[in-house]
Amino acid sequence: TCPQCHRSASLDQRGLRGFQRNRLLEAIVQRYQQGRAAAAAKCQLCDRSPPEPAAVLCEQCEVLYCSACQLRCHPARGPFAKHRLAPPPAHPGAPGGGGDGKGAGGGRKLPTCAEHDMENYSMYCVSCRSPVCYQCLEEGKHSKHDVKALGAMWKQHKAQLSQALNGVSDKAKEAKEFLVQLKNLLQQIQENGLDYEACLVAQCDALVDALTRQKAKLLTKVTKEREHKLKVVWDQINHCTLKLRQSTGLMEYCLEVIKENDPSGFLQISDALIKRVQVSQEQWVKGALEPKVSAEFDLTLDSEPLLQSIHQLDFIQMKSPVSVPPVPLLQLEKCCTRNNSVTLAWRMPPLSHNPVEGYILELDDGDGGQFREVYVGKETLCTIDGLHFNSTYNARVKAFNSSGVGPYSKTVILQTSDVAWFTFDPSSAHRDIVLSNDNQTATCNSYDDRVVLGTAAFSKGVHYWELHVDRYDNHPDPAFGIARINVVKDMMLGKDDKAWAMYVDNNRSWFMHCNSHTNRTEGGVSKGATVGVLLDLNKHNLTFYINGQQQGPPAFENIEGVFMPALSLNRNVQVNLLQSCPTY
């Protein structure tokens, strides 16, 4: 009976020699012995101590020489010219090597069938879990068994073992990191324990002599607490180190097994080895790589009782009073701007124990004015849209909890883009709108007019953009202009009070706002036409162009607020957005 797996096996007349030999393990041991033996071969004529490693062996002299001694004592001339020089022997015995007939460059003899000495293993019986030869199959011993090609099963089991090793390797890596964490925890416990001791001594020394005996008791409690934590951590380190050593040894053995090219020998042990690897992986249960104790000492000394209560003085297990949160740290590498949007990111400093319930992000007006709150919440990443182009904003953040509001962070300065790059916005477009060309080309599935907006919002400065008419069939009336974010999107642009537009056919154009048509102007559009939109928020007006020609006076006056480029069209029109010009 096997003492490890407790399985019983029947022996035939050969006794223990009837068991199959673990040829893979023999090959691994032999390879390492040869490597050590080659490294141990030393020059036999060196005056140095220790002698230099041997470089050659003279087969006639039967002497090992290093490179220097060979040139000095065994030159390649005269009677030595016919001597044959060979590499150092694989075994450190007699200079001739004394091996088993397998040189360093010789190949390993293919294993033969245990029952048919003249036949090599060529198939694998899945039912018996052993390699077999063709003669075994012809004799009918495995006629009803599942028999597969030896090479295919070898590759399959190798792949299974490699896959199982990946899991153990990951756990071993986690274990190494965990050991580093535990050692750091030891140092933190030592430092925190010393800090608590120093604080305790300072408090007790300030008291009257009546506290002396009680001080000793309290110091003992702190020491016991520290020793308890240290013992728990050391126990975890020893336990984890043992598991890691076992896993590492198993990994190294498995890797050596995988290097072997003996399919039959590999398949003899692959099933058991795969199970051992899986069991090794399962021993890293959830929570095994987490410290059982913390580095903190939750001990607070109450030093304000009356003198008659000194002898009852003891530690009270309670957390420190909750204080306001510390200063948040802005993560400058994650803070950025895009068009007229800014993104800010922050985090709390490490080793901060005060709870945080939320954050308050403040931004000025882009012109050095007062700060205002733009975000209140628990997230540590925030994007603010709809800011002014070509403006410099100052931002700061603070944290708060039930005890109050903490101090502000350092101020970060962010510059919005001086050029507005935008495309059509698929998220806010009507569902009948069809966008392509990276959202720069728009058309429609419906014969009714539908609205699509741009991705940029303008609130000050001068902005100009152009749209190219790629397709124009059956004289439709596309409309070009600006709109607020809540414009109605299932009718022509300009029919409600949220849009200002110019709609145009093949002969003339009109301005429209609140369904009021004004300023009819000759000159329409066709395929290939270019429509320009000039939004001047410094003068608060809007001007339109067709093929470079201004369509009447500025279309609308006294325009104020936040506006987005807008377009309405039906299925007879396709429009391509040409990128906008700089913002002034």
Side-chain angles (χ1 to χ4, degrees), residues 228-290:
H228 170 71
K229 289 178 176 287
L230 293 175
K231 182 179 182 301
V232 172
V233 175
W234 272 116
D235 289 345
Q236 274 195 281
I237 289 178
N238 294 333
H239 183 67
C240 185
T241 302
L242 178 60
K243 285 188 176 181
L244 178 61
R245 187 181 300 116
Q246 293 173 348
S247 298
T248 303
L250 180 59
M251 287 172 54
E252 292 174 351
Y253 173 59
C254 291
L255 290 174
E256 295 300 328
V257 168
I258 290 177
K259 292 180 184 178
E260 291 299 312
N261 295 321
D262 181 4
S264 59
F266 179 85
L267 293 173
Q268 285 181 338
I269 65 170
S270 58
D271 285 322
L273 202 54
I274 291 172
K275 290 180 180 178
R276 287 180 61 190
V277 170
Q278 292 172 346
V279 171
S280 177
Q281 182 178 358
E282 292 172 357
Q283 74 177 348
W284 300 100
V285 296
K286 184 178 180 181
L289 300 182
E290 295 178 0

Side-chain angles (χ1 to χ4, degrees), residues 271-524:
D271 285 322
L273 202 54
I274 291 172
K275 290 180 180 178
R276 287 180 61 190
V277 170
Q278 292 172 346
V279 171
S280 177
Q281 182 178 358
E282 292 172 357
Q283 74 177 348
W284 300 100
V285 296
K286 184 178 180 181
L289 300 182
E290 295 178 0
K292 294 182 179 180
V293 296
S294 68
E296 300 298 325
F297 284 68
D298 298 333
L299 306 173
T300 301
L301 182 64
D302 184 7
S303 59
E304 297 181 356
L306 297 174
L307 184 61
Q308 59 268 27
S309 302
I310 289 179
H311 292 288
Q312 285 76 38
L313 188 65
D314 199 353
F315 285 114
I316 54 175
Q317 298 289 337
M318 59 177 290
K319 292 287 184 180
S320 301
V322 176
S323 303
V324 296
V327 179
L329 302 178
L330 285 167
Q331 296 181 276
L332 300 181
E333 70 278 5
K334 296 183 180 180
C335 297
C336 61
T337 63
R338 183 179 183 275
N339 273 343
N340 59 339
S341 299
V342 298
T343 298
L344 295 111
W346 59 90
R347 62 178 177 84
M348 295 306 294
L351 303 179
S352 174
H353 304 295
N354 294 333
V356 176
E357 296 180 5
Y359 302 92
I360 300 174
L361 177 63
E362 295 183 357
L363 206 68
D364 68 359
D365 60 359
D367 199 22
Q370 295 293 322
F371 282 91
R372 69 187 192 281
E373 292 184 3
V374 294
Y375 171 76
V376 178
K378 297 182 178 181
E379 299 297 328
T380 57
L381 181 71
C382 181
T383 298
I384 303 99
D385 300 315
L387 302 177
H388 300 314
F389 283 90
N390 196 24
S391 299
T392 301
Y393 286 89
N394 295 286
R396 62 188 185 184
V397 65
K398 58 185 177 181
F400 63 88
N401 59 19
S402 58
S403 297
V405 179
Y408 284 107
S409 67
K410 293 182 179 180
T411 301
V412 63
I413 301 174
L414 298 167
Q415 173 74 38
T416 54
S417 302
D418 58 352
V419 177
W421 300 100
F422 64 89
T423 62
F424 293 120
D425 184 8
S427 63
S428 63
H430 191 279
R431 61 179 179 274
D432 292 335
I433 293 291
V434 178
L435 301 179
S436 59
N437 188 27
D438 294 329
N439 297 328
Q440 296 186 62
T441 300
T443 186
C444 183
N445 285 329
S446 173
Y447 285 108
D448 296 322
D449 291 302
R450 303 299 188 220
V451 173
V452 59
L453 302 177
T455 55
F458 306 125
S459 56
K460 74 173 185 178
V462 180
H463 310 272
Y464 177 78
W465 62 95
E466 292 183 342
L467 301 106
H468 184 266
V469 180
D470 293 343
R471 180 167 52 82
Y472 186 82
D473 303 326
N474 302 323
H475 311 301
D477 299 327
F480 308 86
I482 60 174
R484 302 192 190 279
I485 186 65
N486 56 344
V487 65
V488 178
K489 298 184 177 68
D490 58 358
M491 61 184 180
M492 181 183 288
L493 193 69
K495 285 194 173 185
D496 65 354
D497 62 347
K498 303 296 191 301
W500 293 256
M502 175 190 73
Y503 75 93
V504 58
D505 60 15
N506 61 322
N507 292 319
R508 60 190 67 84
S509 63
W510 295 263
F511 301 156
M512 186 163 64
H513 173 63
C514 289
N515 204 23
S516 174
H517 307 252
T518 59
N519 294 75
R520 189 180 80 167
T521 305
E522 296 300 323

Side-chain angles (χ1 to χ4, degrees), residues 176-192 230 233 237 291 294-295:
K176 291 179 181 178
E177 295 174 352
F178 180 59
L179 285 175
V180 173
Q181 179 184 356
L182 289 177
K183 292 178 181 178
N184 292 335
L185 185 61
L186 285 174
Q187 183 178 357
Q188 293 177 9
I189 291 175
Q190 291 281 11
E191 293 174 355
N192 292 344
L230 293 175
V233 175
I237 289 178
S294 68

